[in-house]
Amino acid sequence: MTAEERQAQCLSLQEAWQSSTDPIHPHGATMMSSFEPGVFVGGEAADFPTDHVDLERWFKGPKGHERRIHGHSHAGVRIVRQGPTLLVALEAHVHHKEPWTVDDLTPYRLVGGPQSQQEAVERGKIMRKARSRKKRPELLADLEKRYLNAP
């Protein structure tokens, strides 16, 4: 599909949505009109994602604050903390060869993450409070109380 065909298709879809009775469609048409100047820049030579995987790769790149704080190759704190829980799910097929049923999954509905992950999440919460100027005094008072009440 050429750039002119894509632009014509976009404009016809935008006009159809603008005149629609569905309340969502006019909002979509307004958004399309705001994106229009940037979408068709570059003509045929524009570097569009070739498929959904390429598009996904573009969206999953490190965001601005992660690039500035951690550098381009950083995986991200969320991935590091939440990663161990995925191991159980990824290796489930080794022990269970048939398709999963509700009865097979019921015992796992209340299972939490590994202890090490839960501890890491708690440490992350404490560190987040420590970085906050408003919550730091409350955190220090709580930690002092814990220290004094420890056996």
Side-chain angles (χ1 to χ4, degrees), residues 2-17:
T2 66
E4 290 83 22
E5 291 172 341
R6 284 196 312 270
Q7 192 166 14
Q9 184 182 17
C10 181
L11 289 174
S12 66
L13 184 60
Q14 184 180 347
E15 289 170 1
W17 281 5

Side-chain angles (χ1 to χ4, degrees), residues 34-80:
S34 68
F35 289 144
E36 187 178 351
V39 169
F40 299 108
V41 169
E44 298 299 326
D47 186 22
F48 290 111
T50 55
D51 57 2
H52 289 302
V53 176
D54 195 19
L55 185 66
E56 223 173 280
R57 219 176 282 120
W58 183 81
F59 275 109
K60 287 187 178 180
K63 303 301 177 222
H65 68 282
E66 292 170 335
R67 283 194 305 268
R68 285 190 297 275
I69 294 171
H70 305 295
H72 287 281
S73 63
H74 191 271
V77 175
R78 294 178 305 275
I79 296 171
V80 172

Side-chain angles (χ1 to χ4, degrees), residues 123-141 143:
R123 284 192 304 271
K125 288 178 183 177
I126 290 173
M127 293 307 295
R128 191 169 53 244
K129 282 184 181 177
R131 286 190 300 267
S132 168
R133 289 183 181 179
K134 291 181 181 177
K135 295 182 181 180
R136 192 177 304 144
E138 174 189 325
L139 172 68
L140 291 174
L143 291 175

Side-chain angles (χ1 to χ4, degrees), residues 140-151:
L140 291 174
D142 182 48
L143 291 175
E144 186 176 349
K145 188 185 339 175
R146 274 198 230 171
Y147 178 73
L148 293 174
N149 293 337

Side-chain angles (χ1 to χ4, degrees), residues 67-144:
R67 283 194 305 268
R68 285 190 297 275
I69 294 171
H70 305 295
H72 287 281
S73 63
H74 191 271
V77 175
R78 294 178 305 275
I79 296 171
V80 172
R81 274 200 213 129
Q82 296 170 0
T85 307
L86 297 176
L87 292 177
V88 176
L90 291 175
E91 294 178 355
H93 68 282
V94 174
H95 305 292
H96 195 276
K97 302 292 183 191
E98 311 76 52
W100 291 86
T101 64
V102 174
D103 295 331
D104 294 334
L105 295 173
T106 302
Y108 299 102
R109 75 180 193 278
L110 299 176
V111 175
Q115 185 65 31
S116 60
Q117 181 184 1
Q118 291 174 2
E119 291 169 359
V121 169
E122 289 303 315
R123 284 192 304 271
K125 288 178 183 177
I126 290 173
M127 293 307 295
R128 191 169 53 244
K129 282 184 181 177
R131 286 190 300 267
S132 168
R133 289 183 181 179
K134 291 181 181 177
K135 295 182 181 180
R136 192 177 304 144
E138 174 189 325
L139 172 68
L140 291 174
D142 182 48
L143 291 175
E144 186 176 349

